[in-house]
């Protein structure tokens, strides 16, 4: 009995160690890595960069749109390119969600980058990774920060309009609500402020800031409100889609004026101004307004953290042939 028990114990230990090694090995393989395509598609990143650079050179506003696509993808189901899927018999597209409908743009740029990569490495590079790389390259194209993009994400085979509408931030969100939304994805209040700094580029539609510029609140500069009213009539739906730059001073350059604007009560969206409204993030806004290098560094760090939100790896999901439909 003693020998039999001893043998069984050793066998159990050996099996447990083998299982642990397998789990650790699998987890290691599943981790994202900046060198993921070095052997399977060594020219992938250069190909994506060329495609993104062409798009931003045609329209600088596209840089903001591409950063926003990555953000809106990662906040719903994780960074899995579910946002890119069109309606089909089995999919209700996230593009239909209130926070995306009529405002999410740049899909054709991602499609073009994917097509170019497919020509050199068919079936290798995921749409989710292209979104992540495109956000970085778009930032760089407008003199913004760069960061090392980790790769190895796979693409979702499902999408959720309902989850997009419940999970994506709203332009009316309070500071506490924003902190909660970001916290649910492992992002800190400092990450929230840094990522919001992407609003140093891009534009917003009149309907998203109409209430703010007409409510005569104490949290908005009166001259700023008057200026913004010129292209945003009070009576909806007149002018609903009229655009205004999120940063009135340097709308096409990735700088730190966004934070200076907040201190001057010139945040365009309510969800911008709440970051500097007597709350817990005031100190971070103040810091970034005077330390652009700190902001740029923190923005890159926060983008890497956001890119780590619940990716599909290993054998999960798929590598789509085209980004708008499952294989």
């Amino acid at each position: 009995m003693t020998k039999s028990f001893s043998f069984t114990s050793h066998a159990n230990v050996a099996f447990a160690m083998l299982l642990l090694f397998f789990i650790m090995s699998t987890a290691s393989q599943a981790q994202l890595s900046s060198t993921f395509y070095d052997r399977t598609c060594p020219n992938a990143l250069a190909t994506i960069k060329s495609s993104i650079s062409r798009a931003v050179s045609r329209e600088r506003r596209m840089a903001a749109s591409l950063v926003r696509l990555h953000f809106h993808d990662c906040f719903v189901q994780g960074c899995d390119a579910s946002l890119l899927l069109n309606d089909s018999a089995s999919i209700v597209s996230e593009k239909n969600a209130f926070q995306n409908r009529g405002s999410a743009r740049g899909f054709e740029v991602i499609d073009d980058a994917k097509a170019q990569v497919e020509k050199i490495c068919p079936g290798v590079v995921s749409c989710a990774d292209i979104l992540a790389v495109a956000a970085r390259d778009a930032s760089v194209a407008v003199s913004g920060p760069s960061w090392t993009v980790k790769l190895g994400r796979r693409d979702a085979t499902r999408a959720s309009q309902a989850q997009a509408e419940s999970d994506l931030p709203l332009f009316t969100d309070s500071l506490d609500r924003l902190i909660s939304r970001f916290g649910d994805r492992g992002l800190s209040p400092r990450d929230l402020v840094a990522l919001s700094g992407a609003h140093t580029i891009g534009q917003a539609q009149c309907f998203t800031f109409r209430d703010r510029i007409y409510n005569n609140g104490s949290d908005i500069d009166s001259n700023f409100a008057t200026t913004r009213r010129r292209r945003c009539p009070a009576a909806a739906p007149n002018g609903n889609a009229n655009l205004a730059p999120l940063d009135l001073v340097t709308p096409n350059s990735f700088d730190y004026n966004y934070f200076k604007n907040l201190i001057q009560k010139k945040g365009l969206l309510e969800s911008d101004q709440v970051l500097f409204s007597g709350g817990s993030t005031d100190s971070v806004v103040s810091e970034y307004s005077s330390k652009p290098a700190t902001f740029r560094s923190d923005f890159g760090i926060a983008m890497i953290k956001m890119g780590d939100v619940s990716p599909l790896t290993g054998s999960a999901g798929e590598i789509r042939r085209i980004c708008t439909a499952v294989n």
Side-chain angles (χ1 to χ4, degrees):
M1 285 290 292
T2 304
K3 288 183 178 180
S4 174
F5 177 78
S6 177
F7 173 78
T8 303
S9 296
H10 284 301
N12 286 342
V13 170
F15 175 78
M17 291 180 67
L18 182 63
L19 181 61
L20 180 61
F21 173 80
F22 174 77
I23 292 172
M24 291 179 67
S25 175
T26 303
S28 177
Q29 291 173 12
Q31 286 178 348
L32 303 182
S33 165
S34 62
T35 61
F36 189 83
Y37 297 115
D38 280 8
R39 292 184 179 181
T40 55
C41 193
N43 293 321
L45 296 187
T47 302
I48 296 169
K49 183 177 182 179
S50 294
S51 188
I52 300 308
S53 296
R54 285 194 302 271
V56 176
S57 67
R58 288 193 299 267
E59 181 196 13
R60 285 183 71 83
R61 180 189 171 203
M62 186 56 68
S65 300
L66 294 173
V67 172
R68 186 170 184 256
L69 281 186
H70 183 40
F71 173 76
H72 278 220
D73 179 45
C74 290
F75 261 59
V76 185
Q77 299 183 177
C79 307
D80 60 1
S82 59
L83 172 60
L84 305 181
L85 291 170
N86 285 340
D87 282 326
S88 70
S90 60
I91 289 170
V92 179
S93 177
E94 292 170 18
K95 296 176 183 179
N96 301 320
F98 172 74
Q99 295 94 321
N100 293 324
R101 189 173 59 248
S103 62
R105 59 194 298 275
F107 297 108
E108 73 285 355
V109 176
I110 301 300
D111 291 341
D112 176 70
K114 173 66 169 174
Q116 299 307 315
V117 172
E118 284 293 297
K119 288 178 182 178
I120 59 171
C121 307
V124 174
V125 181
S126 69
C127 300
D129 277 344
I130 291 174
L131 273 174
V133 174
R136 189 269 311 277
D137 292 346
S139 171
V140 172
V142 289
S143 304
S146 182
W147 57 92
T148 300
V149 178
K150 291 191 281 185
L151 304 164
R153 301 168 190 81
R154 289 169 64 84
D155 298 324
T157 55
R158 63 184 184 88
S160 176
Q161 177 185 340
Q163 190 173 340
E165 291 185 336
S166 67
D167 289 359
L168 288 172
L170 293 163
F171 54 85
T172 54
D173 274 350
S174 66
L175 179 59
D176 286 345
R177 186 72 183 103
L178 289 171
I179 289 174
S180 175
R181 287 190 194 275
F182 279 69
D184 288 345
R185 286 149 190 84
L187 298 166
S188 69
R190 190 176 184 89
D191 295 327
L192 158 64
V193 179
L195 291 171
S196 297
H199 283 182
T200 186
I201 53 175
Q203 303 189 55
Q205 297 181 61
C206 166
F207 80 90
T208 64
F209 57 86
R210 176 183 280 120
D211 287 350
R212 173 162 163 73
I213 62 174
Y214 284 102
N215 69 4
N216 297 314
S218 61
D219 63 344
I220 186 168
D221 178 86
S222 59
N223 292 329
F224 173 74
T226 300
T227 300
R228 292 278 64 98
R229 289 172 186 169
R230 291 172 188 163
R231 283 188 46 77
C232 186
N238 295 331
N240 265 5
N242 288 357
L243 296 172
L246 288 158
D247 174 3
L248 184 61
V249 183
T250 53
N252 292 315
S253 295
F254 200 112
D255 54 30
Y256 61 110
N257 276 323
Y258 169 80
F259 300 107
K260 292 183 176 181
N261 294 339
L262 297 186
I263 292 172
Q264 296 169 10
K265 299 184 179 180
K266 295 178 180 178
L268 185 61
L269 304 179
E270 187 176 333
S271 55
D272 287 325
Q273 194 59 56
V274 294
L275 299 178
F276 192 85
S277 56
S280 59
T281 54
D282 281 18
S283 60
V284 185
V285 171
S286 295
E287 181 181 358
Y288 290 162
S289 74
S290 61
K291 297 179 179 179
T294 300
F295 162 55
R296 291 173 69 91
S297 174
D298 283 2
F299 183 82
I301 292 169
M303 288 296 288
I304 292 171
K305 287 177 67 176
M306 188 180 75
D308 282 342
V309 175
S310 303
L312 297 174
T313 57
S315 60
E318 64 181 14
I319 305 297
R320 287 184 217 143
R321 289 188 292 271
I322 59 173
C323 292
T324 56
V326 298
N327 294 339

